[in-house]
Amino acid sequence: MRVAVAFDHRGVDLRGAVLEALAAHDVVDLGTDTDAVRIDYPDKAREIGEAILGGDAERGVLICGSGVGAAVAACKLAGIRAAICHDVYSAHQGVEHDDMNVLCLGSEIVGPSLARDLIAAFLAARFNGGERYVKRLKMIEDMERAMSSA
């Protein structure tokens, strides 16, 4: 699987663990690799979204300090379904039921071991495709369209 990954300056603390968890995948590394310069998470969310929507990646892993800002920013992009996950159940269930395509993590919330587990669960999961889940995704798409024309 082709996976885009991006870190803001606070998220970079998890960089090693994230890249290790993605070793078996084709990685689109959108940076950053240092905390020496402030990198704003909305910029990284946009880059991840563009990579997925443009077909350069199937899924994304986006890291900031708490994961919250990254998830909020990424969800502003039509077609991006991002969520912050701190437990393995949410990391796979978000894909299975909600077709989540971006996993957001907080480097100050989860440690390297849990980050690796979360990424493994996220990437191993597949969208269920059940009628009720497809219906809900259609509802979300309709909301996105309505808001973009408002």
Side-chain angles (χ1 to χ4, degrees):
M1 180 180 300
R2 195 158 169 88
V3 182
V5 61
F7 308 83
D8 75 357
H9 63 284
R10 288 177 55 207
V12 77
D13 290 344
L14 273 183
R15 184 175 171 80
V18 169
L19 292 177
E20 180 182 316
L22 296 172
H25 299 276
D26 189 7
V27 175
V28 177
D29 189 345
L30 302 171
T32 189
D33 60 0
T34 180
D35 63 0
V37 177
R38 187 173 71 206
I39 304 293
D40 295 318
Y41 61 81
D43 291 333
K44 292 300 169 183
R46 181 185 39 77
E47 291 174 15
I48 285 258
E50 289 172 348
I52 293 169
L53 297 171
D56 295 326
E58 297 168 64
R59 295 199 191 159
V61 178
L62 181 57
I63 317 294
C64 71
S66 69
V68 174
V72 168
C75 283
K76 298 299 180 186
L77 301 165
I80 297 301
R81 294 169 302 279
I84 181 173
C85 296
H86 295 144
D87 62 273
V88 170
Y89 175 80
S90 297
H92 71 78
Q93 188 271 345
V95 174
E96 293 165 355
H97 292 190
D98 305 305
D99 203 18
M100 177 174 70
N101 53 13
V102 176
L103 173 66
C104 298
L105 301 176
S107 67
E108 296 175 18
I109 309 300
V110 302
S113 179
L114 180 55
R116 287 188 290 269
D117 291 346
L118 295 169
I119 292 167
F122 169 65
L123 296 179
R126 297 294 174 261
F127 179 56
N128 176 291
E131 183 179 337
R132 66 182 173 178
Y133 306 123
V134 171
K135 176 186 171 194
R136 292 172 186 158
L137 288 176
K138 172 80 169 84
M139 292 169 70
I140 293 168
E141 290 171 3
D142 291 346
M143 287 173 30
E144 289 174 339
R145 270 193 298 284
M147 294 305 295
S148 69
S149 64

